[in-house]
Each structure stands twice: as structure tokens, then as C-alpha cells.
Amino acid sequence: MIIDPQPVEDKNLNWVLHLIQDDMKAGLLKTAVSASDLRSIGLDIEVTEIVGSLHDPNVICAIAGCDVVMGCVDNREARQRLCQIAAYYLLFYIDTRLVIHVEEITSEIQSVNTCVF
């Protein structure tokens, strides 16, 4: 299940896998592009696309039916909301978060993946 309320934006192109400028120009939704990529892998999987917010009761009910929740969000509010939903419904929650530390222009960029729970 892929949930997102937004179309592909310029800021997504450098960090969301398989998004390209043509997707943005066509106004495609991030859910549609991601689902298409998953289906193209060739595995026998079912992908459900939900265009909606984590505050929508229908979206929350859909999440409640999952076995595992994986958060790939880019802001604290969404991360906190997803964590609350997972905790309320006693769901296993994996949070993927990329942190980039830049001290100087010439310094190395360090990336750290963190996992909550």
C-alpha cells in the first residue's frame, strides 16, 4: 500500500527512486509512479495506491489493516502521525529517514539511516 496526497514535485526528483522530470511535467501522482515501478519488478505482488492524508479516517482504516508499516516521509508531522497510528493499532513500524549533515562546502556529506522501533 502506497499512500501520498501529492503529485511529483521538483524537490522529489533527487531523492525518490525512479521519479523523473516527465512525471512532474505530466502532473503524475507519486503513488501512481511508485506503484507502477513496483509492479514492473515482476514479482507476484498486489499494490494498492491511496491518494490521501494521514488524517483521513479512510486512510487510517487502510493502514490499520496492514501487518507492517514503513514510513518514508519527509517531515516530522507526518512521521509523528504515522507513528501514532502504528502504536494505536499495535503495528510494527519501520521509519526510514535520511539525515544529511553538511558542515562546510568542502566537507564530506554524511548520510545516516535511522529506524524507530
Side-chain angles (χ1 to χ4, degrees), residues 39-110:
R39 290 181 186 114
S40 72
I41 293 172
L43 300 175
D44 186 24
I45 59 172
E46 181 180 327
V47 181
T48 302
E49 303 166 44
I50 298 178
V51 179
S53 163
L54 294 175
H55 296 283
D56 181 332
N58 294 322
V59 172
I60 294 169
C61 286
I63 294 170
C66 294
D67 296 320
V68 176
V69 178
M70 183 170 188
C72 305
V73 298
D74 60 358
N75 65 70
R76 290 181 185 156
E77 178 187 301
R79 184 172 289 110
Q80 180 181 10
R81 183 71 175 149
L82 194 51
C83 189
Q84 288 171 338
I85 294 167
Y88 184 83
Y89 290 102
L90 301 176
L91 302 171
F92 184 71
Y93 175 58
I94 301 169
D95 181 52
T96 60
R97 177 178 161 210
L98 178 66
V99 179
I100 299 176
H101 302 279
V102 180
E103 294 178 16
E104 296 178 10
I105 294 176
T106 57
S107 69
E108 288 185 32
I109 297 177
Q110 302 172 342

Side-chain angles (χ1 to χ4, degrees), residues 30-44:
K30 288 187 269 184
T31 54
V33 176
S34 296
S36 175
D37 285 342
L38 286 171
R39 290 181 186 114
S40 72
I41 293 172
L43 300 175
D44 186 24

Side-chain angles (χ1 to χ4, degrees), residues 13-32:
L13 298 177
N14 68 338
W15 66 276
V16 178
L17 192 61
H18 301 283
L19 295 183
I20 59 174
Q21 285 188 346
D22 289 344
D23 299 332
M24 181 186 68
K25 290 175 184 174
L28 297 179
L29 295 168
K30 288 187 269 184
T31 54

